[in-house]
Amino acid sequence: GAVVSQHPSRVICKSGTSVKIECRSLDFQATTMFWYRQFPKQSLMLMATSNEGSKATYEQGVEKDKFLINHASLTLSTLTVTSAHPEDSSFYICSARANNFSYNSPLHFGNGTRLTVT
Amino acid sequence: GESVGLHLPTLSVQEGDNSIINCAYSNSASDYFIWYKQESGKGPQFIIDIRSNMDKRQGQRVTVLLNKTVKHLSLQIAATQPGDSAVYFCAENTGGFKTIFGAGTRLFVKA
C-alpha cells in the first residue's frame, strides 16, 4: 500500500518552455504532498508543501511564480516549472503520507522526474 | 537553501559484514527521525524510523540508534548484501509536517 506515482519519469524541454509534473497517490488520499528537488550527488531539498484545496507553502528561496503547484484533488498534485532554464535541470520528487493526520509517519515517494532543459 | 555541492561520503563494506552509517542532525527540537534508501534514478524508500522518546529500534536486519545528547543518528545493517548498495539518507521532522533530509552516505557492498 501507500504508492505514489509520478509522471513523466523523464522530460527534456527547450529553454523558455514550461513543464508539468504530476504526482498521484494511488491507494490513499493525501491532503498534503511535498515536492523535493535533488541535484546530482546531493541530498533532497524541500521546495514546497502542496495543500489540497489551498495555496502551496514554499520554502525560503523557492520562487512560487516559477514553480507553480496545484493540488486540486486528494490524489493529485502537479508541479509546473515555468519558463524553464538550464539551471532548473534537476531530479524532482514528490511525496505524501498515507496517514494525513500524523506527522510522525514516513513519507512515501514517487520515483522522481528527471528534467533536462536544453 | 541549497546544499553545497560536495561528493557524498562513501562507505565500502564486504558482503556479509555489518554496516554502520552515521548522521548528525541539526535541530534539537526534532522529535521524529527516519532512514531512507535511495537507489539510482529512483525516489527514496523508507527503511526504519524512530521517535525521540526512544534510543533504539530494530527492524529486519536494520537497527536505528538515536543519541539526542549529541544529536546523532545511526543505521546499522546486519549481514550486508549486494542489494543494500545505495545512498542512505537520514531525515528529521522538525515540528509540523515537513521532513528535512540530511546529507547522504553512499554504501558500496563488495561481493
Side-chain angles (χ1 to χ4, degrees), chain A residues 18-92:
Chain A
S18 295
V19 173
K20 181 185 282 188
I21 302 169
E22 294 187 346
C23 178
R24 295 180 185 273
S25 55
L26 296 187
D27 51 359
F28 65 100
Q29 293 182 329
T31 55
T32 305
M33 291 185 174
F34 302 88
W35 287 94
Y36 289 82
R37 180 169 58 183
Q38 185 177 32
F39 291 105
K41 295 190 168 90
Q42 293 190 28
S43 187
L44 282 74
M45 185 192 79
L46 180 64
M47 298 176 66
T49 302
S50 172
N51 303 298
E52 188 268 332
S54 64
K55 290 182 180 180
T57 306
Y58 290 82
E59 295 300 300
Q60 191 173 6
V62 178
E63 301 174 56
K64 66 179 192 302
D65 294 329
K66 180 165 189 63
F67 298 100
L68 300 179
I69 291 172
N70 184 278
H71 193 153
S73 79
L74 288 171
T75 59
L76 175 63
S77 174
T78 61
L79 168 68
T80 301
V81 183
T82 63
S83 186
H85 287 95
E87 57 265 31
D88 298 323
S89 298
S90 189
F91 193 49
Y92 293 87

Side-chain angles (χ1 to χ4, degrees), chain B residues 63-101:
Chain B
T63 301
V64 54
L65 299 178
L66 174 63
N67 185 330
K68 295 182 290 295
T69 303
V70 294
K71 293 190 285 187
H72 184 268
L73 200 64
S74 69
L75 176 71
Q76 300 177 1
I77 304 174
T80 313
Q81 302 167 2
D84 295 326
S85 294
V87 178
Y88 289 82
F89 291 98
C90 64
E92 60 187 297
N93 279 19
T94 59
F97 285 79
K98 294 195 289 189
T99 299
I100 305 300
F101 278 70

Side-chain angles (χ1 to χ4, degrees), chain B residues 13-26:
Chain B
V13 300
Q14 196 69 39
E15 180 181 1
D17 288 351
N18 297 334
S19 303
I20 299 176
I21 300 171
N22 296 304
C23 174
Y25 64 92
S26 56

Side-chain angles (χ1 to χ4, degrees), chain A residues 34 36-39 41-46 49 59-60 91 93 97 100-107 109-112 114, chain B residues 1-8 31-32 34 36 38 41-44 46 49 51 89 93 96-103:
Chain A
F34 302 88
Y36 289 82
R37 180 169 58 183
Q38 185 177 32
F39 291 105
K41 295 190 168 90
Q42 293 190 28
S43 187
L44 282 74
M45 185 192 79
L46 180 64
T49 302
E59 295 300 300
Q60 191 173 6
F91 193 49
I93 318 171
R97 285 189 177 85
N100 289 286
F101 304 105
S102 171
Y103 73 84
N104 284 345
S105 61
L107 292 172
F109 286 85
N111 267 333
R114 173 75 59 193
Chain B
E2 301 211 0
S3 58
V4 177
L6 299 174
H7 288 290
L8 293 171
D31 56 4
Y32 176 65
I34 318 100
Y36 289 96
Q38 186 180 29
K42 295 185 177 180
F46 169 76
D49 58 1
R51 300 190 181 191
F89 291 98
N93 279 19
F97 285 79
K98 294 195 289 189
T99 299
I100 305 300
F101 278 70

